Amino acid sequence: FKVSPTGFKHTGLFPEQAVNWDWMMDKIRNEKREIKVLNLFAYTGGATVACLSAGASVCHVDSSKGMTAWAKENVISSGLEKKSVRYIVDDVFKFVNREIRRGNKYDAIIMDPPSYGRGANGEVWKFEENIDELIKLCSKVLSDDPLFFLVNSYTTGISSTVIENILKMDLKIKKGKYSCGEIGLPMTDSKLTLPCGIFAKWEK
């Protein structure tokens, strides 16, 4: 991953996310204040790089040591190693519960959960069973002036409208805007787009 002054440049890893990355960068830059971002299931750090480049501080959480090490390399290769970033290798539920107890708050939350996965100590994650509980939990670490909340999913059989509805029920934020849609890959030499997943979000 690399960030240029004119926008996010990706190198073949999850390019379907570039639209969301550009959106996040614009939201952060336009806010004209320090934004604290919580990036859950953060993988190799595409969203972390994007948010850091826009001037946010980021808490990057993933249960895989290998993915977290890769994310650190991506931050360094983008020249952002001096930015405010904290790397956490842990189960997301355990981490968010600790943040609630500590009273820590975030202005923006990003989550890119797998359909199925295991935490650092063998904790089991199943998207259909756990996404509602996690969003409810994360609502407790949102600041009093939140900027956005983004959920991406690659789980088959789940519609973006369902995730948007879960956001509406669990966040209970009346101001701002809820929306949802598909993320996809533009096909070479074609006007067609290959669907790769879905998203739902709330934004200020």
Side-chain angles (χ1 to χ4, degrees):
F1 302 104
K2 290 189 178 179
V3 175
S4 74
T6 57
F8 186 83
K9 304 298 181 184
H10 49 79
T11 57
L13 295 175
F14 306 119
E16 72 275 9
Q17 291 285 37
V19 172
N20 277 335
W21 290 333
D22 287 338
W23 169 79
M24 289 186 288
M25 292 167 72
D26 287 341
K27 296 290 291 185
I28 292 166
R29 286 172 176 155
N30 291 336
E31 192 63 12
K32 306 298 182 183
R33 62 183 170 103
E34 183 180 352
I35 298 297
K36 289 179 62 179
V37 176
L38 177 59
N39 186 14
L40 302 175
F41 306 98
Y43 300 115
T44 55
T48 294
V49 167
C51 292
L52 287 174
S53 71
S57 62
V58 180
C59 182
H60 175 111
V61 184
D62 196 274
S63 65
S64 168
K65 291 182 180 179
M67 290 295 102
T68 303
W70 194 348
K72 291 179 181 179
E73 292 176 6
N74 283 327
V75 168
I76 292 170
S77 69
S78 295
L80 299 168
E81 64 271 20
K82 293 183 180 180
K83 298 290 186 178
S84 178
V85 57
R86 182 164 58 128
Y87 301 99
I88 306 293
V89 178
D90 201 356
D91 173 74
V92 296
F93 277 103
K94 290 182 177 180
F95 176 75
V96 175
N97 272 309
R98 287 202 307 274
E99 292 295 85
I100 292 170
R101 292 193 296 270
R102 293 166 179 156
N104 289 337
K105 300 288 185 177
Y106 296 89
D107 304 300
I109 295 177
I110 304 159
M111 61 177 73
D112 201 356
S115 299
Y116 177 87
R118 289 189 177 273
N121 295 309
E123 303 89 348
V124 176
W125 161 271
K126 293 182 179 179
F127 187 93
E128 299 94 327
E129 297 178 9
N130 300 127
I131 187 65
D132 179 53
E133 181 185 0
L134 182 58
I135 291 173
K136 285 179 180 176
L137 200 64
C138 287
S139 70
K140 298 178 182 179
V141 295
L142 276 176
S143 70
D144 293 334
D145 187 17
L147 182 59
F148 63 80
F149 195 117
L150 172 67
V151 181
N152 294 306
S153 174
Y154 307 95
T155 302
T156 56
I158 302 291
S159 76
S160 60
T161 302
V162 167
I163 303 177
E164 181 184 349
N165 288 341
I166 293 173
L167 282 177
K168 288 177 179 177
M169 290 186 294
D170 293 347
L171 296 184
K172 295 182 174 64
I173 303 176
K174 295 182 179 180
K175 64 179 181 179
K177 174 186 176 184
Y178 292 90
S179 60
C180 64
E182 290 190 359
I183 48 181
L185 284 167
M187 299 175 67
T188 305
D189 300 324
S190 172
K191 294 182 179 180
L192 302 178
T193 299
L194 178 65
C196 296
I198 58 175
F199 73 88
K201 62 189 177 185
W202 170 87
E203 60 186 295
K204 180 179 176 181

mmCIF file of all heavy atoms in Angstrom, residues 45-69:
data_model
loop_
_atom_site.group_PDB
_atom_site.id
_atom_site.type_symbol
_atom_site.label_atom_id
_atom_site.label_comp_id
_atom_site.label_asym_id
_atom_site.label_seq_id
_atom_site.Cartn_x
_atom_site.Cartn_y
_atom_site.Cartn_z
ATOM 1 N N GLY A 45 -3.772 -3.655 6.833
ATOM 2 C CA GLY A 45 -3.691 -2.237 7.132
ATOM 3 C C GLY A 45 -4.046 -1.246 6.050
ATOM 4 O O GLY A 45 -3.648 -0.092 6.135
ATOM 5 N N GLY A 46 -4.813 -1.650 5.044
ATOM 6 C CA GLY A 46 -5.201 -0.690 4.012
ATOM 7 C C GLY A 46 -5.941 0.506 4.576
ATOM 8 O O GLY A 46 -5.609 1.657 4.284
ATOM 9 N N ALA A 47 -6.954 0.234 5.398
ATOM 10 C CA ALA A 47 -7.734 1.323 5.991
ATOM 11 C C ALA A 47 -6.887 2.105 6.997
ATOM 12 O O ALA A 47 -7.037 3.325 7.133
ATOM 13 C CB ALA A 47 -8.980 0.778 6.671
ATOM 14 N N THR A 48 -5.987 1.419 7.697
ATOM 15 C CA THR A 48 -5.098 2.097 8.643
ATOM 16 C C THR A 48 -4.209 3.094 7.915
ATOM 17 O O THR A 48 -4.060 4.248 8.341
ATOM 18 C CB THR A 48 -4.231 1.067 9.399
ATOM 19 O OG1 THR A 48 -5.084 0.266 10.223
ATOM 20 C CG2 THR A 48 -3.189 1.750 10.263
ATOM 21 N N VAL A 49 -3.618 2.675 6.816
ATOM 22 C CA VAL A 49 -2.776 3.561 6.008
ATOM 23 C C VAL A 49 -3.571 4.757 5.503
ATOM 24 O O VAL A 49 -3.117 5.902 5.569
ATOM 25 C CB VAL A 49 -2.149 2.793 4.822
ATOM 26 C CG1 VAL A 49 -1.534 3.741 3.811
ATOM 27 C CG2 VAL A 49 -1.098 1.813 5.323
ATOM 28 N N ALA A 50 -4.772 4.490 4.995
ATOM 29 C CA ALA A 50 -5.602 5.571 4.460
ATOM 30 C C ALA A 50 -5.917 6.612 5.532
ATOM 31 O O ALA A 50 -5.796 7.815 5.307
ATOM 32 C CB ALA A 50 -6.891 4.993 3.874
ATOM 33 N N CYS A 51 -6.329 6.140 6.707
ATOM 34 C CA CYS A 51 -6.711 7.072 7.775
ATOM 35 C C CYS A 51 -5.511 7.832 8.326
ATOM 36 O O CYS A 51 -5.595 9.032 8.608
ATOM 37 C CB CYS A 51 -7.411 6.315 8.897
ATOM 38 S SG CYS A 51 -9.036 5.660 8.426
ATOM 39 N N LEU A 52 -4.374 7.148 8.481
ATOM 40 C CA LEU A 52 -3.162 7.833 8.943
ATOM 41 C C LEU A 52 -2.751 8.918 7.958
ATOM 42 O O LEU A 52 -2.365 10.029 8.354
ATOM 43 C CB LEU A 52 -2.016 6.827 9.100
ATOM 44 C CG LEU A 52 -2.080 5.867 10.278
ATOM 45 C CD1 LEU A 52 -0.936 4.857 10.179
ATOM 46 C CD2 LEU A 52 -2.005 6.613 11.608
ATOM 47 N N SER A 53 -2.828 8.620 6.674
ATOM 48 C CA SER A 53 -2.412 9.587 5.655
ATOM 49 C C SER A 53 -3.297 10.827 5.655
ATOM 50 O O SER A 53 -2.862 11.911 5.261
ATOM 51 C CB SER A 53 -2.430 8.945 4.266
ATOM 52 O OG SER A 53 -3.755 8.708 3.828
ATOM 53 N N ALA A 54 -4.550 10.660 6.110
ATOM 54 C CA ALA A 54 -5.480 11.789 6.163
ATOM 55 C C ALA A 54 -5.326 12.599 7.445
ATOM 56 O O ALA A 54 -5.996 13.616 7.613
ATOM 57 C CB ALA A 54 -6.913 11.283 6.028
ATOM 58 N N GLY A 55 -4.480 12.117 8.371
ATOM 59 C CA GLY A 55 -4.211 12.872 9.584
ATOM 60 C C GLY A 55 -4.831 12.324 10.853
ATOM 61 O O GLY A 55 -4.700 12.933 11.915
ATOM 62 N N ALA A 56 -5.494 11.171 10.760
ATOM 63 C CA ALA A 56 -6.114 10.580 11.943
ATOM 64 C C ALA A 56 -5.101 9.792 12.759
ATOM 65 O O ALA A 56 -4.044 9.402 12.249
ATOM 66 C CB ALA A 56 -7.263 9.664 11.534
ATOM 67 N N SER A 57 -5.430 9.533 14.011
ATOM 68 C CA SER A 57 -4.704 8.546 14.804
ATOM 69 C C SER A 57 -5.503 7.255 14.732
ATOM 70 O O SER A 57 -6.733 7.280 14.677
ATOM 71 C CB SER A 57 -4.547 9.003 16.254
ATOM 72 O OG SER A 57 -5.812 9.163 16.869
ATOM 73 N N VAL A 58 -4.812 6.118 14.707
ATOM 74 C CA VAL A 58 -5.483 4.841 14.453
ATOM 75 C C VAL A 58 -5.086 3.799 15.484
ATOM 76 O O VAL A 58 -3.908 3.651 15.815
ATOM 77 C CB VAL A 58 -5.144 4.303 13.043
ATOM 78 C CG1 VAL A 58 -5.848 2.962 12.804
ATOM 79 C CG2 VAL A 58 -5.530 5.307 11.964
ATOM 80 N N CYS A 59 -6.081 3.062 15.969
ATOM 81 C CA CYS A 59 -5.861 1.862 16.764
ATOM 82 C C CYS A 59 -6.191 0.684 15.858
ATOM 83 O O CYS A 59 -7.345 0.489 15.472
ATOM 84 C CB CYS A 59 -6.740 1.861 18.009
ATOM 85 S SG CYS A 59 -6.471 0.418 19.056
ATOM 86 N N HIS A 60 -5.177 -0.082 15.509
ATOM 87 C CA HIS A 60 -5.258 -1.167 14.530
ATOM 88 C C HIS A 60 -5.334 -2.485 15.284
ATOM 89 O O HIS A 60 -4.396 -2.861 15.990
ATOM 90 C CB HIS A 60 -3.998 -1.103 13.644
ATOM 91 C CG HIS A 60 -3.853 -2.208 12.655
ATOM 92 N ND1 HIS A 60 -3.977 -2.008 11.298
ATOM 93 C CD2 HIS A 60 -3.561 -3.527 12.810
ATOM 94 C CE1 HIS A 60 -3.765 -3.157 10.663
ATOM 95 N NE2 HIS A 60 -3.517 -4.091 11.559
ATOM 96 N N VAL A 61 -6.468 -3.208 15.145
ATOM 97 C CA VAL A 61 -6.687 -4.426 15.926
ATOM 98 C C VAL A 61 -6.906 -5.620 14.995
ATOM 99 O O VAL A 61 -7.780 -5.588 14.126
ATOM 100 C CB VAL A 61 -7.910 -4.288 16.856
ATOM 101 C CG1 VAL A 61 -8.053 -5.529 17.736
ATOM 102 C CG2 VAL A 61 -7.805 -3.033 17.715
ATOM 103 N N ASP A 62 -6.103 -6.667 15.204
ATOM 104 C CA ASP A 62 -6.278 -7.908 14.459
ATOM 105 C C ASP A 62 -5.740 -9.050 15.311
ATOM 106 O O ASP A 62 -4.801 -8.864 16.074
ATOM 107 C CB ASP A 62 -5.543 -7.851 13.115
ATOM 108 C CG ASP A 62 -6.018 -8.928 12.161
ATOM 109 O OD1 ASP A 62 -5.502 -10.059 12.222
ATOM 110 O OD2 ASP A 62 -6.916 -8.635 11.340
ATOM 111 N N SER A 63 -6.324 -10.233 15.181
ATOM 112 C CA SER A 63 -5.911 -11.363 16.010
ATOM 113 C C SER A 63 -4.672 -12.071 15.470
ATOM 114 O O SER A 63 -4.098 -12.916 16.155
ATOM 115 C CB SER A 63 -7.054 -12.375 16.143
ATOM 116 O OG SER A 63 -7.366 -12.953 14.890
ATOM 117 N N SER A 64 -4.248 -11.734 14.249
ATOM 118 C CA SER A 64 -3.118 -12.408 13.615
ATOM 119 C C SER A 64 -1.830 -11.590 13.751
ATOM 120 O O SER A 64 -1.760 -10.442 13.298
ATOM 121 C CB SER A 64 -3.408 -12.638 12.129
ATOM 122 O OG SER A 64 -2.243 -13.037 11.447
ATOM 123 N N LYS A 65 -0.809 -12.190 14.345
ATOM 124 C CA LYS A 65 0.488 -11.516 14.456
ATOM 125 C C LYS A 65 1.089 -11.280 13.075
ATOM 126 O O LYS A 65 1.702 -10.242 12.828
ATOM 127 C CB LYS A 65 1.445 -12.353 15.301
ATOM 128 C CG LYS A 65 1.084 -12.439 16.772
ATOM 129 C CD LYS A 65 2.116 -13.251 17.535
ATOM 130 C CE LYS A 65 1.765 -13.334 19.016
ATOM 131 N NZ LYS A 65 2.753 -14.156 19.771
ATOM 132 N N GLY A 66 0.913 -12.254 12.181
ATOM 133 C CA GLY A 66 1.472 -12.121 10.842
ATOM 134 C C GLY A 66 0.853 -10.975 10.064
ATOM 135 O O GLY A 66 1.566 -10.188 9.423
ATOM 136 N N MET A 67 -0.483 -10.856 10.110
ATOM 137 C CA MET A 67 -1.154 -9.768 9.417
ATOM 138 C C MET A 67 -0.777 -8.415 10.015
ATOM 139 O O MET A 67 -0.597 -7.426 9.293
ATOM 140 C CB MET A 67 -2.672 -9.956 9.483
ATOM 141 C CG MET A 67 -3.218 -11.098 8.666
ATOM 142 S SD MET A 67 -2.999 -10.901 6.871
ATOM 143 C CE MET A 67 -1.597 -11.996 6.598
ATOM 144 N N THR A 68 -0.630 -8.376 11.330
ATOM 145 C CA THR A 68 -0.262 -7.125 11.996
ATOM 146 C C THR A 68 1.145 -6.704 11.614
ATOM 147 O O THR A 68 1.422 -5.514 11.381
ATOM 148 C CB THR A 68 -0.396 -7.267 13.519
ATOM 149 O OG1 THR A 68 -1.740 -7.657 13.837
ATOM 150 C CG2 THR A 68 -0.084 -5.955 14.220
ATOM 151 N N ALA A 69 2.063 -7.669 11.521
ATOM 152 C CA ALA A 69 3.430 -7.361 11.081
ATOM 153 C C ALA A 69 3.424 -6.820 9.658
ATOM 154 O O ALA A 69 4.164 -5.877 9.325
ATOM 155 C CB ALA A 69 4.301 -8.614 11.171
#
